[in-house]
Structure formats: C-alpha cells, structure tokens
Amino acid sequence: MIKKILFILYCLLLSNAAISQVGINTNNPSATLDIVTKDQLQNEALKIINSTNNFFKIYNNGNVNFNNLLYLNSDKGNIDYVLTSQGANTPPIWTDILKTTLGSYVVIGYNGSKESQTTNENFNGLQSSTISFKGITNINSSEVGEWNANFDTYKVNKSGVYEVIVHLKSHTTASQPNRNGVLGIHMGVYNQYFKGSNILGDGFTTNFTGKVSRYLEKDTVIKISSYLSYQWRYDYASININYSPKSNN
C-alpha cells in the first residue's frame, strides 16, 4: 500500500514538474517558458502576430520591437511624457518630460535679435562697442536670467553651464577690402574672441559667429562686443543663451 502511495506521489510530482516548465527547442527548460532559438543564425527569437498584423518581436541580440502603443497599467501616457523609474521593485510611471531632469537639462534662457540699423550707430575704426539685441525677443526666461536693455547685458539667475551663440553682420561705412575685426563674448571675468569673415567680392561686409560654453555662478554678467578696423556699423545681430543645471564638478 505504501509503495502504491509513493508511486502516485511520484507521478504527481513528475506531472507538476512537466507542467510548471515548458521548453521550446530545449529538453531542459530553466524557466516556466524557456525558448531557445533553433537556428542561431536566425535573427528573430520570438514573433507574435495578430489578425491586424500588429506584432511583437524579440531578437537574438536581446532587442525588443513592437509597432503599437506601450501601455503601463492600461495607461498609454500623453505626448511629451516619458517613463521614469521609481526605484527597485517599483513600477515606472509616465512623467511630463518638462518635469524631469532630462527636460531641464537644456533650457533656452534668452533668444533675441536686432534686424535693422538704427540712427547714430556708426563707430570709429578699432572702437569696441557693446552689441545691442534690441528688436525681436523670441524667448526670455526670467527664471534663468535677466536681460538688461539699458546696458545690453545678461545676468544669470542660476549657477550652471551656459552656452552663448552669437551671429553678427557688420559693415564698414566705405569700401575697405583689407578690413578685419573681432567679436568678443564676455562671461564674467572670462573673455573669448572670434575673428570676422569678410564676404568675397564685398568691400563692406564682415560676418561674425561665436559660441562659448562655460560654467557660471549666479549673478555672473554676460555681454557681447565687437569692432572693425575701419569706421563701421552693424545691421544684424542675434543671440541665443542656453542653460543647463550641471555642476562644475
């Protein structure tokens, strides 16, 4: 009788083991469902296709591909939302990208341009002038910094990495084929200068482009200057100031 009971228990255990682990292309499954690619040269390990040809694929290299919505607890999220981790053993959640460090990594602090010459803006040769961007202000984030229209300077309100990009179009008041000039980007005590590029066949026009990225402490002042070697003026100027909350470590 005991032998019969032991035999029945053995059969039940064997049956349970067979049911609890299923292997495809393997006789020794190591999981509830263990799928081994039959041909290692085959790119796809698993593919599921429904009646509308929406499919899910797992490739041999571990990549996963699907061509429809990604739902999280029946929530498909919104435009500009990203999945953010909540830590170990906690499911991720949809989060507005602007409320994450990824969204705040690069912020446009200021974007403005001057697109026409105003009166009395001719400067003597080698006379350096602070460049004004009065005209069109596309973006001005007071949280990042403040543009002072009286002094044509920008004071940063947050410590972090600032990227300044400037374009300037200058002219001599008379044709000067041998003219030269400099664009200066001043960020606190740091100064960086860029040589102008004369337009071929044009005795008047010089273009400047400058780009500087630097860690700045709060209240640092940014300003732009330029000069040409002969009497000059500038007809177009644009500036873009980007901010990133990175540290100086």
Side-chain angles (χ1 to χ4, degrees), residues 11-137:
C11 291
L12 289 173
L13 290 172
L14 183 63
S15 174
N16 183 64
I19 294 173
S20 62
Q21 291 185 326
V22 177
I24 298 178
N25 296 326
T26 178
N27 294 323
N28 300 298
S30 59
T32 302
L33 176 61
D34 190 350
I35 302 175
V36 178
T37 306
K38 186 175 183 179
D39 184 356
Q40 294 298 321
L41 297 178
Q42 186 177 346
N43 189 34
E44 298 169 355
L46 174 66
K47 179 167 67 175
I48 301 174
I49 301 177
N50 63 13
S51 59
T52 58
N53 287 325
N54 292 321
F55 60 84
F56 172 88
K57 291 181 180 180
I58 299 178
Y59 295 90
N60 276 342
N61 60 8
N63 290 342
V64 177
N65 177 62
F66 58 93
N67 68 342
N68 214 314
L69 298 178
L70 174 64
Y71 284 84
L72 179 66
N73 296 327
S74 301
D75 183 2
K76 61 182 179 182
N78 296 307
I79 295 176
D80 294 329
Y81 274 54
V82 294
L83 283 177
T84 54
S85 172
Q86 301 301 296
N89 303 316
T90 304
I93 61 173
W94 290 111
T95 306
D96 186 343
I97 193 171
L98 296 178
K99 296 180 179 179
T100 67
T101 55
L102 179 64
S104 63
Y105 187 77
V106 175
V107 176
I108 300 177
Y110 185 82
N111 176 268
S113 62
K114 171 187 175 296
E115 299 186 0
S116 62
Q117 180 189 9
T118 55
T119 58
N120 300 320
E121 283 193 333
N122 289 333
F123 306 99
N124 294 327
L126 300 179
Q127 177 187 352
S128 179
S129 172
T130 299
I131 303 301
S132 170
F133 299 92
K134 298 173 183 176
I136 300 175
T137 301

Side-chain angles (χ1 to χ4, degrees), residues 134-186:
K134 298 173 183 176
I136 300 175
T137 301
N138 298 310
I139 299 173
N140 187 9
S141 172
S142 58
E143 181 181 356
V144 176
E146 300 173 3
W147 185 266
N148 188 320
N150 294 322
F151 296 98
D152 296 316
T153 58
Y154 185 84
K155 185 178 76 171
V156 306
N157 288 339
K158 290 184 173 183
S159 299
V161 176
Y162 285 81
E163 177 186 65
V164 179
I165 305 172
V166 178
H167 298 285
L168 180 67
K169 182 179 180 182
S170 299
H171 298 271
T172 51
T173 55
S175 179
Q176 303 289 351
N178 297 320
R179 66 197 178 281
N180 55 71
V182 168
L183 169 72
I185 297 179
H186 313 279

Side-chain angles (χ1 to χ4, degrees), residues 185-211:
I185 297 179
H186 313 279
M187 305 171 77
V189 298
Y190 304 103
N191 304 299
Q192 192 154 338
Y193 298 95
F194 302 87
K195 185 177 180 180
S197 175
N198 295 336
I199 304 300
L200 185 64
D202 182 340
F204 298 87
T205 307
T206 301
N207 289 330
F208 298 91
T209 298
K211 176 181 177 181

